[in-house]
Amino acid sequence: MTLSRAMRVVLGNIRRNKRSFILSSVGLIIGVATLTFFVSLGMGVQSGVLNKIYPVNQIEIEPRTVGIVGIREQLVDAARLDADMIAELKGLPDVTRVYPKLRSKLQARLWGGKSLFGFAARTEAFFDGLDPSLVQDELQRVERVDAKRERAALRRPQACKRDDECPLGQVCGAEGRCGDIEYWRRFAGHGIAVPCRDADGDAFCPPGEACSGGVCLPQCGEDGASCEPGSICVSPIDCAGDACRPHCASQCAADGDCPTSHGCVARPDGARVCERLACELPDANAQFSDRLGDQAGRLLGRCANAVSPDSPACEPLACPDGTYCAGASVGTARGYCEAPIPVLLSPVLLEIFNSSVASSLGMQRIDGTDAMLGFQFRMQLGDSYFAADLPVEMQAVKRTEIVGFSQKAMEFGVTMPLSVVRSLNARYKGRAAADTFDTFILETRGNEDVSSLIAEVEGWGFTLSRKSEDARKAADLLFILTVVFSFISVVIMFVAAVNIMHTFLTLVTERRYEIGIMRAVGAARADIRKLFLLEAGVLGVFGGVLGNAVAWGASRLVNWAAAEYLQGIPFKPDEFFLYDWRVLLGGVAFAWLFCVLGAWLPANRAARLDPAVVLTT
Amino acid sequence: MIRLEDIHKTYVVDKVGNHVLRGVSLAVAEGEFVALMGASGSGKSTLLNIIGALDQDYTGRAQIAGQEVKGLSDRALSRFRNRTVAYIFQQFHLLPHLSVLENVVMPSWFARSGEAGDDKALAAKATAVLDKVGLRHKVRARPGHLSGGEKQRVAIARALFNQPKLLLCDEPTGALDSDTTLKVFELIERLNAEEGLTVLVVTHERDIAERCRRIVRIVDGAVVPDPGPMTATATAGAGDA
């Protein structure tokens, strides 16, 4: 009997037994729906939540600590957690990249937010630093950069000369047209001007930098061999003595070739290099002004008109767009133009604010992240609510700007580019505080490498960080839950299979004459078996497809309910489910398998019916 | 066409054996029209099932259309039933959910791949066969809407569909009134006469049997000489060709 003929006979049989067909498939539909729903939920939560916090091929490790008479001691000497350790970790067979993380080692206070909250919020500041390349993809995703670019492509760009000529959320680009701000780009190595004392030499500059003219700058030898391509080794102008160490400076032709906080300066030897733009505030207290315009400052040594800077006719210039005049210390009006320090926030922080802080303080909840991007507040380094303040000459006020949200950001604090934290740690706690790291994120080629890697680094005295450990525990719990619900669904399908067996046994009894007639006109046992198993297979596929459809419908309901009733959680995923075609196909295959197994006994019983007995009784 | 040698058949019910056929030997030539007579329970239908390869649980030798049927695989037996023999039952045994046409083409469902032809050819062939039994106009009807005689004619059409060599009729007119019985039997006679089909009819009606060219009487599981006007050519334990 050909398959197409058998299928036509089967479909005819199904048509005349619609009721038993539908009733038999109910259990199956529930079973498949349960299986698909929970496996897809497990996969969705894994990929949509857990993998975003910590991708399965990334683990964060930190030195293991042990308690000795009430004091916790690290098993790995802190001094060893340096660049050499990064190289050693990179040497592990499964590791493709190592990202160090560094916590701040200095006290600081934050304040600001009047425009956002209605009053200036104040808090102790905790921050850490990480490699910007670790979060670039995530920042673009959170900022929905693709959608932003698509929207921008549809509108005609507006000509401009300055940022304030552009609509809100746009800046004046180098080509003289307004364009959307892509905040994620700002989270990059940021050259803040970290003052240093020439008397201390390089002890308070980050590794690779030297104190030159009161500022830490990339160090180089006289030959300039250690400078990057495009940079040359120069000595500070108008400076003499040991403190005037040579440093690397980028070559340029005009201001536009330099970072916004730098200007293109002609040196006595004719070379043109980018140098920090020195500036001056009306007075040191301007650093604390609520009006951001008060910190525009006046550039030193530059005029808007072509006169000598010392001339009374000199028209002052302010710090360029996107920068402000940062005083060298809280008591100093002079400093350098700087862009605000870019910081990332953790979504957890926003969730806590919305769920607890906002209601306690009678503030508006913040819906989404867009409102927060570009928002600036100030940080006073060296000042603290909890610890003793550093001397006033050591304290400095810096602007910070929220440029993104990342699951890898510090949960109760802010996260800066690693280079910034290294500079600040060096400035306030010495070079050693910038040279050693606190944790490392190890990236492996594939998921399967992670377990062996954990065992390896545990032997070195490391352990998984709390966040990484929590992610693994959550993944394990999720896996167990998925297995439990899958098992339940298999039990449901087993019961359905028993029901199907009962239905098919009844069908065999009902169709015994039909089977006898078919046998009499030439049907082989295999033909009869094929008809019943095919009918069961059709039932299985029908139940599987419908079960998948029910699961999909239920998942839409859950997504809708989450969007409707969990609005206070801004970072919940839009989609809790991941519908992989293999899961859907697996659901149908399971249903098919259970149906065929359920019908196996009845089909064989039908095939074994003796036509002589059936047709003559 | 049919050669049976020393056929024994015992039914076992509740561990009690019932020896239904006791060494039946029988020979039927090609194109013969034979009536198989006997009382109820004498073993006529059992013998027909053995000849029709529906029953394999017996001892002795059965050669049908030159083929030893005992010991054939299920696949070979099915093919034998599909191509060589055809059945007509007292209760017609049509499938009520299928149309007349579908009932008639049913044997083609189990033909080997490529042997049956496409749907159009099958329908044309079935219509031709139905035309032969006078039911061309009923191709789309369901068996439930047919009279007893029409149902049996559909059963005959189904039996003829694959052009078998041997037609086995198990009391084909047992469920029909006398007028219809006559018409149906005349149809079977015509098939024998015009198409040379070998026909074996199980009946307990003397007047039907006497229309056959030969009568084989079975008494208590054995073939005995027929006392009627026609002569039995087989005896218990000793068949002839």
Side-chain angles (χ1 to χ4, degrees):
Chain A
M1 192 178 201
T2 61
L3 191 64
S4 62
R5 164 53 63 189
M7 186 55 92
R8 280 153 71 179
V9 174
V10 162
L11 293 177
N13 287 342
I14 290 170
R15 269 197 296 275
R16 65 192 164 109
N17 289 295
K18 282 191 210 86
R19 182 186 279 187
S20 64
F21 186 84
I22 290 166
L23 287 177
S24 302
S25 61
V26 169
L28 208 61
I29 292 167
I30 294 170
V32 174
T34 311
L35 182 71
T36 307
F37 181 87
F38 283 106
V39 171
S40 301
L41 179 62
M43 288 171 65
V45 172
Q46 177 80 44
S47 73
V49 181
L50 286 178
N51 287 358
K52 282 183 184 166
I53 297 172
Y54 266 97
V56 282
N57 65 334
Q58 286 181 355
I59 54 166
E60 184 176 1
I61 57 168
E62 60 188 18
R64 194 160 68 237
T65 56
V66 290
I68 302 170
V69 286
I71 300 167
R72 298 208 71 81
E73 286 285 338
Q74 276 188 194
L75 287 184
V76 185
D77 183 5
R80 285 196 57 226
L81 303 174
D82 54 9
D84 292 341
M85 178 59 78
I86 293 175
E88 281 182 52
L89 290 168
K90 267 186 190 159
L92 286 169
D94 302 323
V95 175
T96 52
R97 286 195 73 172
V98 177
Y99 302 94
K101 281 178 84 173
L102 180 62
R103 295 188 193 113
S104 70
K105 303 290 190 294
L106 65 146
Q107 60 272 61
R109 285 196 300 124
L110 272 175
W111 79 92
K114 199 168 182 180
S115 61
L116 193 67
F117 307 126
F119 61 91
R122 294 173 187 278
T123 178
E124 188 77 7
F126 304 101
F127 54 98
D128 67 1
L130 54 74
D131 187 336
S133 64
L134 181 66
V135 290
Q136 279 188 347
D137 290 344
E138 184 188 4
L139 294 180
Q140 290 182 64
R141 196 172 58 244
V142 172
E143 199 180 333
R144 293 188 282 270
V145 170
D146 289 343
K148 213 178 232 186
R149 288 175 188 165
E150 280 173 23
R151 282 199 304 274
L154 296 174
R155 64 170 183 256
R156 177 184 284 181
Q158 181 181 326
C160 61
K161 286 181 181 169
R162 293 178 53 87
D163 289 350
D164 54 15
E165 292 170 3
C166 294
L168 196 64
Q170 295 185 18
V171 285
C172 194
E175 66 284 6
R177 293 184 185 283
C178 297
D180 280 332
I181 304 172
E182 291 190 10
Y183 288 100
W184 69 276
R185 291 186 190 280
R186 296 184 177 178
F187 193 74
H190 181 273
I192 59 166
V194 177
C196 53
R197 289 178 299 186
D198 293 331
D200 296 323
D202 304 333
F204 291 92
C205 287
E209 292 189 11
C211 192
S212 180
V215 183
C216 295
L217 292 167
Q219 189 178 7
C220 60
E222 290 293 347
D223 57 355
S226 57
C227 293
E228 291 176 357
S231 296
I232 55 170
C233 197
V234 295
S235 295
I237 304 167
D238 301 330
C239 181
D242 289 345
C244 300
R245 311 274 198 80
H247 65 271
C248 295
S250 303
Q251 289 177 291
C252 58
D255 286 350
D257 298 335
C258 300
T260 49
S261 57
H262 289 56
C264 194
V265 176
R267 294 180 57 77
D269 59 3
R272 294 180 72 86
V273 294
C274 296
E275 294 279 3
R276 291 190 174 281
L277 292 172
C279 61
E280 188 177 39
L281 293 163
D283 61 71
N285 285 334
Q287 296 179 85
F288 297 92
S289 170
D290 286 339
R291 290 183 304 175
L292 295 177
D294 291 349
Q295 284 126 45
R298 180 176 67 86
L299 292 187
L300 297 176
R302 288 193 168 211
C303 303
N305 49 349
V307 297
S308 166
D310 300 325
S311 164
C314 175
E315 291 175 18
L317 277 169
C319 281
D321 279 347
T323 65
Y324 69 103
C325 187
S329 71
V330 291
T332 313
R334 285 196 171 196
Y336 293 96
C337 296
E338 279 182 25
I341 299 171
V343 297
L344 304 179
L345 297 184
S346 167
V348 174
L349 196 63
L350 190 54
E351 282 165 16
I352 290 171
F353 175 82
N354 278 343
S355 58
S356 307
V357 179
S359 58
S360 298
L361 300 181
M363 296 154 78
Q364 286 288 320
R365 293 200 316 186
I366 300 168
D367 190 17
T369 58
D370 293 350
M372 301 282 286
L373 293 179
F375 180 77
Q376 294 188 9
F377 51 92
R378 268 167 290 172
M379 181 181 275
Q380 188 168 345
L381 304 168
D383 190 20
S384 172
Y385 289 114
F386 302 145
D389 298 343
L390 293 177
V392 171
E393 64 272 18
M394 290 284 282
Q395 293 180 24
V397 177
K398 300 283 182 189
R399 273 207 231 167
T400 58
E401 181 184 35
I402 299 171
V403 296
F405 285 79
S406 169
Q407 297 282 1
K408 292 189 179 66
M410 203 177 191
E411 286 176 359
F412 298 99
V414 296
T415 292
M416 300 176 181
L418 184 65
S419 59
V420 175
V421 180
R422 291 187 82 185
S423 296
L424 294 176
N425 277 358
R427 162 77 176 108
Y428 289 94
K429 297 294 173 183
R431 178 168 278 188
D435 209 13
T436 58
F437 304 99
D438 296 289
T439 65
F440 301 94
I441 292 173
L442 310 182
E443 194 172 276
T444 60
R445 283 182 195 86
N447 315 346
E448 63 278 4
D449 305 327
V450 171
S451 298
S452 59
L453 181 61
I454 292 170
E456 176 80 28
V457 294
E458 278 178 348
W460 291 18
F462 286 100
T463 186
L464 283 180
S465 71
R466 181 190 58 75
K467 216 169 174 179
S468 227
E469 186 68 43
D470 287 351
R472 283 185 75 80
K473 280 180 186 167
D476 288 347
L477 184 66
L478 194 65
F479 177 74
I480 290 168
L481 283 175
T482 306
V483 167
V484 166
F485 280 107
S486 299
F487 179 74
I488 290 170
S489 65
V490 169
V491 170
I492 294 171
M493 280 202 273
F494 181 78
V495 173
V498 172
N499 181 40
I500 285 160
M501 183 167 70
H502 179 257
T503 304
F504 273 78
L505 282 172
T506 310
L507 285 179
V508 170
T509 307
E510 281 175 8
R511 296 182 190 166
R512 59 200 306 270
Y513 280 106
E514 195 175 314
I515 295 163
I517 294 162
M518 287 181 177
R519 294 278 282 142
V521 300
R525 285 192 181 121
D527 293 326
I528 302 297
R529 192 183 296 120
K530 185 194 279 182
L531 287 174
F532 277 92
L533 292 182
L534 206 57
E535 190 166 334
V538 171
L539 177 68
V541 171
F542 172 79
V545 170
L546 217 61
N548 280 338
V550 169
W552 187 82
S555 68
R556 297 306 90 193
L557 197 66
V558 168
N559 282 340
W560 172 82
E564 192 73 9
Y565 300 108
L566 300 177
Q567 288 175 345
I569 303 173
F571 283 89
K572 66 181 182 310
D574 294 333
E575 177 64 70
F576 282 90
F577 299 83
L578 179 66
Y579 279 103
D580 189 279
W581 64 270
R582 282 164 292 198
V583 175
L584 299 176
L585 199 66
V588 176
F590 257 106
W592 177 85
L593 181 69
F594 275 84
C595 270
V596 169
L597 286 178
W600 188 259
L601 178 74
N604 278 298
R605 186 172 286 188
R608 282 200 309 272
L609 276 179
D610 185 343
V613 173
V614 169
L615 296 174
T616 53
T617 53
Chain B
M1 174 60 70
I2 301 172
R3 189 177 184 86
L4 305 179
E5 288 179 17
D6 196 24
I7 301 291
H8 287 263
K9 167 77 182 178
T10 303
Y11 287 112
V12 179
V13 180
D14 296 334
K15 295 182 184 173
V16 178
N18 179 14
H19 202 165
V20 179
L21 295 178
R22 300 161 184 268
V24 171
S25 295
L26 176 66
V28 176
E30 194 170 338
E32 266 201 281
F33 196 152
V34 180
L36 208 55
M37 287 198 71
S40 292
S42 61
K44 323 183 278 297
S45 294
T46 302
L47 193 61
L48 206 67
N49 288 341
I50 289 169
I51 295 167
L54 283 177
D55 191 344
Q56 288 279 289
D57 185 19
Y58 61 90
T59 60
R61 289 187 66 197
Q63 200 178 55
I64 317 296
Q67 194 167 9
E68 193 78 51
V69 291
K70 190 162 176 69
L72 288 179
S73 67
D74 180 64
R75 183 64 70 182
L77 279 173
S78 304
R79 182 160 173 74
F80 177 79
R81 289 195 294 265
N82 188 245
R83 310 297 303 181
T84 309
V85 299
Y87 261 97
I88 301 173
F89 302 95
Q90 181 182 353
Q91 296 303 327
F92 324 124
H93 288 325
L94 301 176
L95 298 187
H97 59 282
L98 300 181
S99 69
V100 163
L101 188 82
E102 287 167 329
N103 268 286
V104 172
V105 298
M106 199 191 344
S108 72
W109 296 356
F110 308 107
R112 281 183 184 167
S113 180
E115 213 171 57
D118 61 17
D119 285 355
K120 210 170 172 182
L122 288 173
K125 187 177 172 186
T127 309
V129 178
L130 282 166
D131 194 30
K132 202 179 282 183
V133 299
L135 286 176
R136 187 190 178 96
H137 60 292
K138 294 280 188 182
V139 288
R140 300 205 180 280
R142 301 269 162 181
H145 297 121
L146 302 178
S147 67
E150 286 174 327
K151 283 178 187 168
Q152 196 58 295
R153 280 191 281 160
V154 173
I156 292 169
R158 181 179 66 192
L160 297 177
F161 187 78
N162 270 351
Q163 294 158 312
K165 296 184 176 113
L166 176 62
L167 180 63
L168 304 173
C169 310
D170 192 359
E171 304 203 29
T173 56
L176 305 176
D177 58 49
S178 54
D179 273 359
T180 315
T181 293
L182 200 62
K183 283 178 188 163
V184 167
F185 208 78
E186 278 171 359
L187 177 61
I188 296 170
E189 284 175 323
R190 204 171 71 229
L191 292 170
N192 172 252
E194 292 175 3
E195 301 190 14
L197 194 62
T198 307
V199 180
L200 199 59
V201 181
V202 166
T203 182
H204 58 269
E205 294 174 70
R206 185 81 209 178
D207 51 340
I208 289 291
E210 284 176 352
R211 293 179 68 116
C212 300
R213 273 181 264 148
R214 177 179 154 204
I215 295 175
V216 174
R217 177 173 286 277
I218 297 179
V219 178
D220 293 337
V223 175
V224 298
D226 182 55
M230 303 190 88
T231 309
T233 54
T235 55
D240 58 3

